[in-house]
Amino acid sequence: MSTQHFPFNCDELKKIIEKSSDKQLAWLSGYLWGLAEKSSNEQALPNITTTTDVTQAEQAKKVTILSASQTGNARRVANELTQDIERLGIERLGIEVTHLPAGEYKAKKLSQEEILILITSTQGEGEPPEEALPLYKYLFAAKAPKLANLQFAVMGLGDSSYPKFCQAAKDFDQRLAELDAQRMLLRVDADTDFQTVSTNWRQAVIDKLSSLQQSVSISPTENNTSSSVVVNSSLYHRNNPFIAPINVNQKITSRDSDRDIRHIELDLTGSDINYQPGDALGVWYQNSDELVDEMLNITQLTGDELVEHNGQQITLKTTLIEHVELTQNTPVIIEKYAQAIQHPELLTLIKDREALIEMSQTLPLVDMLNRYRGNITAQTLVGLLRPLAPRFYSIASAQDEVGDEVHLTVNVVRYQIEGKTRTGGASNFLANQIADQDQVKIFVEHNDNFRLPNDTNTPIIMIAAGTGIAPFRAFLQQRSAQCATGKNWLFFGNPHFISDFLYQVEWQNYVKEGLLTNIDLAWSRDQAEKIYVQDKLIAQGSEIWQWLQQGAYIYVCGDAKRMAKAVDLALQQILQTQAQYNQEQAIDYLDELRSEKRYQRDVY
């Protein structure tokens, strides 16, 4: 191999090798092998300077990476892929890479793209995340353009406990192919423990990009640029959480309420963590000792058995408490367990996909182990389970108001199964497993798709049900701290006025101060006829239309499956009634609001 390919001598090469990681060395080995193969036909690579007469074949390939994220994971994978490309020097082969959140991407540019890489999560009943809705609608429109010049790759992030696992990724992948775009790689779907799948997929993308550029050689110039989205500038993040004491853990529903909703305040002193209204807080939790002991009793294991987890030997009990998910069952877990214990009834059930999904949604893991008992080793049990993942909660405070604190509004998940009370993992941990001043591992997940308008004179309409009220408490605190002059309108719904009016005194004070211009409340169970926030919206349709004409922003936070869909339909009805739009025009109007960031939703 000719040494003229390299602008350094052997000593310099040795220094580079010594400083390189195993992954970088592996890539470098493949890269040098490719150069060696190429040099058998060429004595040296030509040094081409980019000029206005560079031919199309010699121009840099442009790669656009889009992330459609609900809790930040897709954005994180996309950012890592962008950094992989930058760090490993793929741009030296003539690749320009740009990473954008899907919400900032203009879908009409698709016909101009060469290579599109999409990483997307799924929300609700198989829908794409909020920020990807404009792109989704553009692709699925009857007039969507053919994309014969586009190569693409799709990665889906999801949760296999849901029936429509990674459905958004499947839809995007299929539709791009229907529009004549060419798959660069087969779609990959990853469950909640997506890190290993993500790492392998990113390497496959890099290998494919490298192979696409083997015939193109462009010397790096200032025009070969790349950009990536910063996931979190804080020292603390998902893999390095801040350990925060809990200052307040207060129930804010009455003793007569059938809901246990807590207001929780955590201390950020010394962390330098910054957050904005609309952001979420990631919480790492532990499974309860009671649940773990019940599981050990059912499986007749002691908990002292040593198991291998992430390359370490630790006790089974420690693994069950700190490292694996115990409160969510999935079809995959049921299938693995059926095979492990060879239970005839379970083996029959897993052949029926619908029955399998139903069991995963209605029968918790511990109750499945109890109902279908069988001999299982400690290591096999751990092998069934998914890694523990953080839970995300909308932040219920504005830092300009509360300083070195962050507040949450947490609904404690509690339900009955076969005469036993079951609880949610994280909500039970926050509400019942820790006391004041106990410490919790937390990190901020920024959400730029749920932000107050920059102009504090702009009116806003906030629509929430249940704990969906949390971010709007932060919004009002921020508007108060900013002395914002824009009008504020809150629609809030819950079952009962007396027992379920969350933060009642605060809203009443905001009304007295004049900050909260309008407030409409929907108590669904306080009268014979059920009344929901969407009913209140329709009743105020004329004034809502006036606010929209004044430039108002609309925000929705709550359940995606029922509440958010009902609100969207109510807004369509208002537009049809007040603006005389037909349904298609009303949907187009709301889509335009979305593109202008005037219709934002934080739904789950």
Side-chain angles (χ1 to χ4, degrees):
M1 180 171 63
S2 173
T3 58
Q4 59 184 309
H5 293 317
F6 303 95
F8 47 76
N9 58 33
C10 291
D11 290 337
E12 290 173 328
L13 177 60
K14 183 177 180 181
K15 291 178 182 178
I16 290 175
I17 292 173
E18 290 173 347
K19 294 179 180 179
S20 298
S21 66
D22 291 343
K23 185 177 179 181
Q24 289 170 323
L25 288 173
W27 184 90
L28 184 60
S29 174
Y31 174 69
L32 293 175
W33 178 86
L35 288 182
E37 288 293 297
K38 193 175 179 71
S39 68
S40 64
N41 297 318
E42 304 175 39
Q43 287 300 308
L45 292 173
N47 185 18
I48 300 173
T49 302
T50 304
T51 64
T52 55
D53 61 352
V54 173
T55 65
Q56 181 69 28
E58 293 168 336
Q59 289 179 355
K61 280 193 176 295
K62 295 181 179 180
V63 176
T64 297
I65 301 174
L66 297 183
S67 56
S69 201
Q70 191 67 19
T71 60
N73 290 335
R75 184 170 65 251
R76 185 175 297 105
V77 172
N79 201 65
E80 289 171 348
L81 176 59
T82 306
Q83 291 173 351
D84 287 344
I85 293 172
E86 294 170 345
R87 182 169 57 250
L88 297 177
I90 296 291
E91 70 272 17
R92 290 183 177 275
L93 292 177
I95 289 179
E96 296 180 9
V97 59
T98 301
H99 168 207
L100 289 171
E104 297 178 13
Y105 183 74
K106 302 298 183 184
K108 292 182 180 180
K109 290 182 61 180
L110 272 176
S111 58
Q112 304 169 29
E113 300 286 3
E114 298 178 59
I115 298 174
L116 178 73
I117 300 173
L118 174 63
I119 302 102
T120 180
S121 61
T122 295
Q123 70 170 16
E125 294 186 290
E127 293 92 3
E130 282 297 305
E131 63 176 328
L133 279 174
L135 176 63
Y136 186 88
K137 290 189 174 185
Y138 177 82
L139 286 172
F140 280 86
K143 297 180 180 179
K146 294 296 183 181
L147 301 170
N149 295 324
L150 178 69
Q151 295 187 72
F152 73 94
V154 176
M155 178 179 183
L157 299 179
D159 185 335
S160 62
S161 65
Y162 291 92
K164 295 188 177 181
F165 173 59
C166 287
Q167 189 61 48
K170 295 172 183 176
D171 290 346
F172 276 119
D173 182 75
Q174 179 178 341
R175 184 57 175 164
L176 286 167
E178 289 173 351
L179 295 174
D180 295 338
Q182 303 299 308
R183 284 190 183 88
M184 191 174 73
L185 292 168
L186 292 176
R187 188 192 75 251
V188 169
D189 298 331
D191 208 340
T192 53
D193 51 340
F194 61 88
Q195 286 82 1
T196 300
V197 175
S198 166
T199 299
N200 294 336
W201 179 78
R202 289 181 355 238
Q203 185 61 54
V205 171
I206 289 171
D207 292 343
K208 186 65 176 180
L209 292 177
S210 180
S211 69
L212 290 175
Q213 288 297 83
Q214 287 298 315
S215 61
V216 178
S217 175
I218 298 180
S219 293
T221 70
E222 292 183 0
N223 292 326
N224 288 131
T225 60
S226 61
S227 65
S228 59
V229 176
V230 177
V231 173
N232 193 337
S233 59
S234 171
L235 171 66
Y236 299 102
H237 48 79
R238 180 190 182 106
N239 297 323
N240 183 38
F242 177 68
I243 302 177
I246 286 187
N247 290 340
V248 174
N249 179 355
Q250 177 184 1
K251 185 178 180 182
I252 55 175
T253 46
S254 76
R255 66 178 61 186
D256 297 325
S257 175
D258 59 359
R259 301 184 180 193
D260 182 359
I261 297 179
R262 303 296 179 96
H263 172 75
I264 292 175
E265 299 181 4
L266 298 111
D267 192 344
L268 300 180
T269 301
S271 69
D272 290 325
I273 287 177
N274 294 308
Y275 61 87
Q276 299 181 58
D279 286 341
L281 194 74
V283 175
W284 286 103
Y285 67 98
Q286 293 185 0
N287 294 304
S288 70
D289 288 337
E290 292 79 8
L291 177 61
V292 170
D293 288 342
E294 182 179 358
M295 185 173 291
L296 291 173
N297 181 58
I298 290 169
T299 57
Q300 297 186 329
L301 296 166
T302 66
D304 296 327
E305 298 88 350
L306 289 178
V307 296
E308 183 179 347
H309 183 73
N310 288 339
Q312 294 183 320
Q313 292 285 322
I314 53 179
T315 67
L316 173 62
K317 186 164 187 176
T318 298
T319 305
L320 295 178
I321 290 175
E322 300 180 9
H323 298 293
V324 292
E325 172 67 67
L326 298 184
T327 57
Q328 291 184 342
N329 205 352
T330 73
V332 174
I333 291 175
I334 298 172
E335 289 174 334
K336 287 182 178 179
Y337 184 62
Q339 296 293 341
I341 66 170
Q342 288 293 297
H343 193 288
E345 186 176 341
L346 272 185
L347 289 171
T348 300
L349 179 138
I350 63 176
K351 297 176 183 178
D352 183 340
R353 184 64 183 172
E354 293 300 321
L356 180 62
I357 291 173
E358 182 180 0
M359 174 180 282
S360 70
Q361 295 178 322
T362 58
L363 190 65
L365 173 64
V366 64
D367 295 291
M368 180 190 72
L369 295 176
N370 186 46
R371 182 182 296 181
Y372 303 100
R373 295 200 177 204
N375 294 325
I376 191 168
T377 67
Q379 189 65 59
T380 301
L381 176 62
V382 170
L384 299 176
L385 307 176
R386 303 187 300 177
L388 199 68
R391 295 290 190 268
F392 293 91
Y393 296 94
S394 297
I395 291 175
S397 56
Q399 207 159 18
D400 286 350
E401 175 75 17
V402 303
D404 284 336
E405 295 179 1
V406 62
H407 300 176
L408 302 179
T409 310
V410 177
N411 179 30
V412 183
V413 177
R414 187 177 289 114
Y415 53 97
Q416 295 288 319
I417 294 289
E418 299 180 347
K420 294 184 178 180
T421 300
R422 298 300 180 200
T423 58
S427 63
N428 181 58
F429 172 76
L430 288 169
N432 302 314
Q433 290 176 229
I434 53 178
D436 290 353
Q437 295 304 315
D438 277 358
Q439 296 180 328
V440 183
K441 296 178 181 179
I442 62 169
F443 60 96
V444 170
E445 192 65 58
H446 296 292
N447 182 7
D448 291 331
N449 299 302
F450 204 70
R451 289 282 185 254
L452 282 166
N454 293 326
D455 185 353
T456 58
N457 297 316
T458 302
I460 65 172
I461 300 171
M462 302 164 285
I463 306 165
T467 54
I469 198 69
F472 300 138
R473 182 175 184 264
F475 277 22
L476 265 291
Q477 286 185 0
Q478 185 70 20
R479 298 276 268 192
S480 177
Q482 292 175 328
C483 297
T485 57
K487 297 184 294 183
N488 305 292
W489 192 346
L490 175 66
F491 289 85
F492 173 62
N494 235 358
H496 301 287
F497 168 77
I498 293 177
S499 57
D500 302 318
F501 193 174
L502 309 182
Y503 303 112
Q504 176 182 354
V505 173
E506 294 183 26
W507 304 124
Q508 290 173 335
N509 287 338
Y510 283 138
V511 170
K512 291 177 183 178
E513 295 169 9
L515 179 67
L516 189 52
T517 316
N518 294 10
I519 183 169
D520 281 87
L521 305 169
W523 310 113
S524 60
R525 303 299 192 274
D526 276 353
Q527 60 286 309
E529 180 184 0
K530 294 179 180 178
I531 299 175
Y532 299 103
V533 287
Q534 58 267 27
D535 302 313
K536 292 290 184 176
L537 286 169
I538 292 170
Q540 298 287 1
S542 176
E543 191 171 355
I544 287 174
W545 174 238
Q546 292 177 27
W547 279 48
L548 287 174
Q549 290 178 301
Q550 296 165 9
Y553 280 47
I554 298 177
Y555 300 91
V556 181
C557 186
D559 169 53
K561 185 176 180 180
R562 293 178 295 273
M563 176 265 193
K565 284 187 175 180
V567 166
D568 195 80
L569 290 172
L571 292 173
Q572 291 178 35
Q573 183 175 333
I574 289 169
L575 292 169
Q576 291 175 66
T577 302
Q578 300 300 322
Q580 301 302 305
Y581 290 158
N582 60 36
Q583 186 177 27
E584 184 178 354
Q585 290 172 325
I587 292 172
D588 288 343
Y589 181 88
L590 291 177
D591 285 343
E592 184 63 27
L593 290 185
R594 276 194 178 94
S595 67
E596 296 172 358
K597 302 291 186 181
R598 288 179 56 200
Y599 182 21
Q600 301 181 34
R601 307 196 310 172
D602 181 9
V603 296
Y604 38 84

